[in-house]
Amino acid sequence: MIVVLSIFHNIPSLVGCRFVRLENPIIDASFRYFCASHGIVTVEDFLLHDVEVLAAFADRQTNSDRLKEGITVMLSLVERQCRPWLNGMELLEDLQRNKQNLSTGDRGTDSLLKGGFREGQVTELVGPSSSGKTQFCMQAAASVAEKHAGRVLYLDTGNSFSARRIAQFGSSSDTSLEQKVMSRISCHTVYDIYTMLETLQGLDVTLRSQVQTNVNEHRLRLLVVDSISSLITPILGGSGSQGRALMVAVGYMLKKLAHEHSIAILVTNHTVSAGGEGGKTKPALGETWKSIPHVRLMLSHDHKNSNSTISILKHTSMPSGQTMRITTRKDNR
């Protein structure tokens, strides 16, 4: 799997599409039949397969040279879709020109993050059950829709979205303005990792088409996934690498959307026991996922006095360990 995993960090929009849609004479009926006989129908299946094992199977066929050429072409098609490298000056100019800060809806958190969420970055909010993660997400959605007049896409994986609760975070008593704000927030339910991949790929296509047609009114500013861990945790069991590869695929798509479309992305993650004594916890999903978010925040809630604290676990431009007490309401999740 060394070859496959080395390109998995750059999975393009080819993921999920069938070979029949790839315009290349080498990817012919014979090659597709060979792949299908090994359970490979889509590009995603191909990336999840051990290429060295597949090449060994190809060696046993009478048309082995052509089949192995097909494998090489498939890898080439994937790599061709990867973003070109950018130098430091180009990245800095893009950051200053196209990436803005978006208010989280909480003054304390905005102060901690020096302005709020950064467009082009994936922010992960980690916390145990009932610590207020969902409330934080809905507050952020209301804030971006109202203060930045931006569209928000809320991907709900656990039936926790509540339009009524989001409306309560609005600061205006004007009914017509409230309706405009709420109309900028869309919610989609996503219950498995495959639907998540399909949704993110579809979003990428939609955003690209909007750019080409100059559709920019109330552009998408914030994407919320609450929670990402509930989709990924079920596929990580066992010793196989497929679940881990799918996790990296989702992570790649999130970072791709954030960077290429200047979107701030907020995902939630639960905590697991860190082992040892003291009852310490750590973010779930392991070391592989750790490299995905640009910013990791830990949310803790003191049920005795109803106070919540948010702290920086990781940030691209700020030291970790800084904390801030934030405003919370009842019915935390």
Side-chain angles (χ1 to χ4, degrees), residues 12-300:
S13 56
L14 290 174
V15 171
C17 77
R18 292 181 175 273
F19 292 165
V20 71
R21 289 158 51 190
L22 301 180
E23 299 179 1
N24 191 290
I26 299 298
I27 313 301
D28 57 11
S30 176
F31 181 80
R32 292 196 298 271
Y33 178 80
F34 167 72
C35 288
S37 67
H38 295 282
I40 302 173
V41 180
T42 67
V43 177
E44 181 180 341
D45 297 333
F46 179 83
L47 290 171
L48 293 174
H49 207 86
D50 191 322
V51 176
E52 295 178 359
V53 172
L54 191 63
F57 282 122
D59 274 329
R60 304 174 188 175
Q61 308 300 315
T62 56
N63 58 340
S64 61
D65 289 342
R66 187 172 180 83
L67 291 177
K68 286 192 290 186
E69 184 180 357
I71 294 173
T72 302
V73 168
M74 283 296 300
L75 291 172
S76 176
L77 287 173
V78 171
E79 291 178 339
R80 198 178 302 165
Q81 296 292 320
C82 301
R83 286 189 294 112
W85 287 20
L86 299 176
N87 62 41
M89 183 56 68
E90 290 172 325
L91 290 171
L92 180 60
E93 290 176 351
D94 177 65
L95 181 66
Q96 295 174 336
R97 183 172 57 251
N98 301 319
K99 308 296 191 292
Q100 301 178 24
N101 285 327
L102 304 179
S103 173
T104 65
D106 178 80
R107 292 182 180 179
T109 305
D110 286 349
S111 176
L112 179 68
L113 299 177
K114 302 296 189 292
F117 303 125
R118 189 73 174 182
E119 291 180 331
Q121 293 186 343
V122 177
T123 299
E124 178 189 54
L125 182 66
V126 181
S129 177
S130 300
S131 59
K133 299 188 297 296
T134 293
Q135 174 184 288
F136 186 93
C137 289
M138 291 192 287
Q139 180 172 277
S143 175
V144 171
E146 180 178 354
K147 297 178 182 178
H148 302 282
R151 290 196 300 114
V152 177
L153 176 58
Y154 198 114
L155 300 183
D156 181 16
T157 71
N159 290 322
S160 57
F161 180 86
S162 170
R164 178 176 297 178
R165 290 175 66 194
I166 287 182
Q168 292 173 351
F169 287 110
S171 60
S172 175
S173 57
D174 185 339
T175 303
S176 61
L177 178 59
E178 181 182 273
Q179 291 175 345
K180 288 182 179 179
V181 170
M182 293 302 293
S183 68
R184 296 169 190 158
I185 303 174
S186 301
C187 177
H188 292 258
T189 54
V190 180
Y191 296 130
D192 62 76
I193 197 72
Y194 300 100
T195 304
M196 173 62 73
L197 274 170
E198 182 179 350
T199 301
L200 296 179
Q201 291 155 13
L203 177 60
D204 184 35
V205 172
T206 299
L207 293 175
R208 289 182 185 281
S209 66
Q210 289 178 350
V211 170
Q212 294 173 356
T213 56
N214 294 318
V215 177
N216 196 37
E217 182 179 3
H218 301 309
R219 71 175 181 86
L220 183 65
R221 307 291 296 274
L222 176 67
L223 170 64
V224 178
V225 183
D226 183 30
S227 76
I228 193 68
S229 55
S230 66
L231 296 181
I232 295 176
T233 300
I235 65 172
L236 292 181
S239 58
S241 59
Q242 179 175 349
R244 200 167 300 279
L246 286 170
M247 175 176 67
V248 175
V250 169
Y252 165 78
M253 282 302 301
L254 289 173
K255 297 179 81 167
K256 179 176 185 287
L257 286 168
H259 174 75
E260 296 185 0
H261 302 289
S262 297
I263 302 170
I265 296 182
L266 173 63
V267 302
T268 64
N269 187 5
H270 66 277
T271 58
V272 295
S273 173
E277 300 180 357
K280 293 184 178 182
T281 60
K282 62 180 181 180
L285 304 184
E287 291 297 315
T288 304
W289 177 261
K290 184 178 179 180
S291 64
I292 299 298
H294 300 88
V295 178
R296 305 190 93 182
L297 305 174
M298 174 68 81
L299 183 62
S300 59

